């Protein structure tokens, strides 16, 4: 059985407070995009995990796909399987690829073994894997708050726009990104901007709090953002804690000149 975990972008990201549990309160809008990995499970006599595509650093035992399997195995009698993950979404790029893989593994196992786990329960399992993981269970545009696990539906629809993605060879850890941020309440919330302003009105208002500190350390990212605007983007930003930069273009704009890793019609 095969699934295709997709990436997401953050539309705005405010770090509003430091929590007693060590996490931060945020507000953002998570938006799924059609840049995908491939995840397959096959019946097997023993558990195995193979990766292809982009190289994944670190110990494979720490991969969220395997952790998702072990998590469900504590509550269900799962037989051994062969797991194959093809990585296409870059790691450490702020697009939630690893989180998507873990969440999609939960839904894949639920469907394949007919476990009948509810969406709410799947989200509960996903939260044990990571703060971003529950988003990928429903995988729809969501206004996000709390540490990233509190969701609110939004009618935002970017269909018809073009999305240009640039991810330079820069890995920014979450700790590194947070080191350059001082939590504060924004003058205007992400929700207010997303729900009351046109995409063409987001520039200068819908902000990512990570950008200031990250841009000081990696000025090339700021240059990419400026280049998007110079080439006609209606909105441009860093997604998540970086380092992927994205530009949203009107479908009437000639984006053939944009140097990007991917150009996607939403």
């Amino acid at each position: 059985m095969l699934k295709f975990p997709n990436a997401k972008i953050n539309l705005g990201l405010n770090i509003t407070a430091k929590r007693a549990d060590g996490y931060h309160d945020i507000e953002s809008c998570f938006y799924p995009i059609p840049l995908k990995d491939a995840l397959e499970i096959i019946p097997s006599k023993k558990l195995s995990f193979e990766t292809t595509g982009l190289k994944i650093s670190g110990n494979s035992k720490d991969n969220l796909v395997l952790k998702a399997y072990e998590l469900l195995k504590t509550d269900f009698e799962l037989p051994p399987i062969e797991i194959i993950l093809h990585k296409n979404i870059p790691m450490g790029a702020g697009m939630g690829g690893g989180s998507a893989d873990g969440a999609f593994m939960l839904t894949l196992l639920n469907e394949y073994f007919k476990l009948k786990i509810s969406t709410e329960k799947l989200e509960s399992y996903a939260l044990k894997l990571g703060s971003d993981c529950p988003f990928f269970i429903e995988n729809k545009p969501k206004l996000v708050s709390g540490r990233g696990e509190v969701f609110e539906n939004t009618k935002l629809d970017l269909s018809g726009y073009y999305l240009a993605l640039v991810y330079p060879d820069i890995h920014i850890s979450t700790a590194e990104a947070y080191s350059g941020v001082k939590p504060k309440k924004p003058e205007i919330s992400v929700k207010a901007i997303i729900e009351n302003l046109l995409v063409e009105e987001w520039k200068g208002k819908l902000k990512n709090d990570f950008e200031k500190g990250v841009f000081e350390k990696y000025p090339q990212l700021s240059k990419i953002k400026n280049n998007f605007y110079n080439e006609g983007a209606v909105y441009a930003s860093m997604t998540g804690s970086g380092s992927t930069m994205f530009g949203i273009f009107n479908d009437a704009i000639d984006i053939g000149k944009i140097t990007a890793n991917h150009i996607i019609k939403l």
Side-chain angles (χ1 to χ4, degrees), residues 106-217:
L106 293 174
T107 61
L108 183 57
L109 292 169
N110 188 39
E111 292 176 21
Y112 187 76
F113 292 113
K114 297 180 174 57
L115 303 178
K116 299 181 180 179
I117 306 172
S118 68
T119 297
E120 183 179 1
K121 184 62 176 176
L122 283 171
E123 289 179 349
S124 177
Y125 279 121
L127 184 57
K128 294 179 181 179
L129 298 176
S131 296
D132 285 356
C133 293
F135 165 74
F136 291 100
I137 299 299
E138 280 200 290
N139 205 29
K140 298 176 181 178
K142 298 280 185 179
L143 294 165
V144 184
S145 58
R147 72 182 212 196
E149 86 287 9
V150 180
F151 303 120
E152 182 180 348
N153 290 329
T154 175
K155 294 181 180 179
L156 178 66
D157 186 357
L158 297 179
S159 298
Y161 287 96
Y162 287 85
L163 180 73
L165 296 168
V166 174
Y167 37 90
D169 190 18
I170 298 172
H171 187 286
I172 301 171
S173 70
T174 302
E176 181 182 7
Y178 271 105
S179 68
V181 172
K182 292 183 178 180
K184 65 182 185 301
K185 292 283 186 180
E187 293 181 5
I188 180 170
S189 69
V190 168
K191 179 178 180 179
I193 295 169
I194 292 290
E195 297 199 335
N196 296 299
L197 298 180
L198 299 173
V199 178
E200 289 77 7
E201 299 174 304
W202 289 356
K203 183 179 179 181
K205 300 181 181 69
L206 189 62
K207 300 177 181 180
N208 182 334
D209 284 347
F210 286 124
E211 284 190 354
K212 185 177 184 297
V214 170
F215 284 2
E216 288 176 357
K217 191 168 184 179

Side-chain angles (χ1 to χ4, degrees), residues 225-242:
K225 180 177 179 177
N226 290 334
N227 183 55
F228 280 144
Y229 280 126
N230 290 337
E231 295 295 338
V234 295
Y235 179 72
S237 178
M238 183 172 76
T239 182
S241 56

Side-chain angles (χ1 to χ4, degrees), residues 40-51:
E40 185 176 18
I41 61 174
I42 302 169
S44 178
K45 293 183 179 180
K46 66 177 182 178
L47 178 65
S48 64
F49 179 50
E50 176 187 352
T51 63

